Amino acid sequence: MTAEAPTLRKRERMTSNLLIEALFENGNSQATSAFPLRAVYRRIARRQGDLPAQILISVPKKRFKHAVDRNRVKRQVREAYRRHKTLLWEGMADDQEWLVGFIWLADRHFPTKEVEKRVVRILQSISRNVE
């Protein structure tokens, strides 16, 4: 990792409905799981000025009824991704970009270290799929 502290910029979050649809509706996406997380990912051609990856974090209301609980889980996943995103970026071609959607599967909270381990496992799994 670099000497400076990694950050998670707004441009790294998937906000475009077109990208979200491309990730979930087309049959070109792949998935991997490390309970309590599932990641759906797809590689696309990078557009001008974009970063090597954009992420989406989903914690269904079905899993946690209270927003404070959903927000805690999203914060844990975001922090883990922020700290280890270079695992995903290494080895990427300059003209490629990852779209990654993290989906929470469990009905309970996990310790932050455990969530971080699972995010690292998922990022390593995705990065091995670079052709």
Side-chain angles (χ1 to χ4, degrees), residues 39-58:
V40 178
Y41 58 95
R42 180 176 179 194
R43 201 168 45 172
I44 62 170
R46 190 182 306 184
R47 296 173 315 256
Q48 185 69 22
D50 275 351
L51 295 170
Q54 288 190 17
I55 65 164
L56 172 77
I57 301 170
S58 174

Side-chain angles (χ1 to χ4, degrees), residues 1-130:
M1 296 221 308
T2 61
E4 70 181 50
T7 59
L8 185 65
R9 297 176 224 152
K10 172 111 173 117
R11 292 186 351 223
E12 293 179 67
R13 297 183 189 183
M14 199 181 321
T15 56
S16 165
N17 285 336
L18 291 175
L19 290 178
I20 294 169
E21 287 176 11
L23 177 62
F24 288 107
E25 289 185 4
N26 295 346
N28 301 330
S29 298
Q30 296 175 310
T32 186
S33 292
F35 192 81
L37 281 169
R38 179 172 188 255
V40 178
Y41 58 95
R42 180 176 179 194
R43 201 168 45 172
I44 62 170
R46 190 182 306 184
R47 296 173 315 256
Q48 185 69 22
D50 275 351
L51 295 170
Q54 288 190 17
I55 65 164
L56 172 77
I57 301 170
S58 174
V59 182
K61 199 177 211 180
K62 178 181 177 181
R63 303 291 179 205
F64 292 107
K65 299 297 181 205
H66 301 283
V68 66
D69 294 324
R70 293 191 300 274
N71 292 340
R72 175 181 176 215
V73 171
K74 287 190 273 189
R75 194 175 316 116
Q76 287 177 311
V77 175
R78 239 186 348 258
E79 178 65 10
Y81 174 78
R82 181 191 69 81
R83 293 181 67 194
H84 300 285
K85 64 185 173 184
T86 56
L87 292 172
L88 187 61
W89 292 15
E90 293 171 356
M92 281 294 295
D94 289 339
D95 62 340
Q96 296 291 307
E97 172 184 2
W98 285 112
L99 301 178
V100 183
F102 291 99
I103 303 167
W104 190 260
L105 301 174
D107 292 338
R108 65 181 181 89
H109 290 287
F110 281 74
T112 301
K113 286 189 178 201
E114 192 64 32
V115 173
E116 188 169 347
K117 266 199 275 188
R118 304 305 166 85
V119 169
V120 167
R121 188 178 303 161
I122 287 173
L123 293 177
Q124 289 171 338
S125 172
I126 294 172
S127 67
R128 280 193 293 264
N129 287 334
V130 175

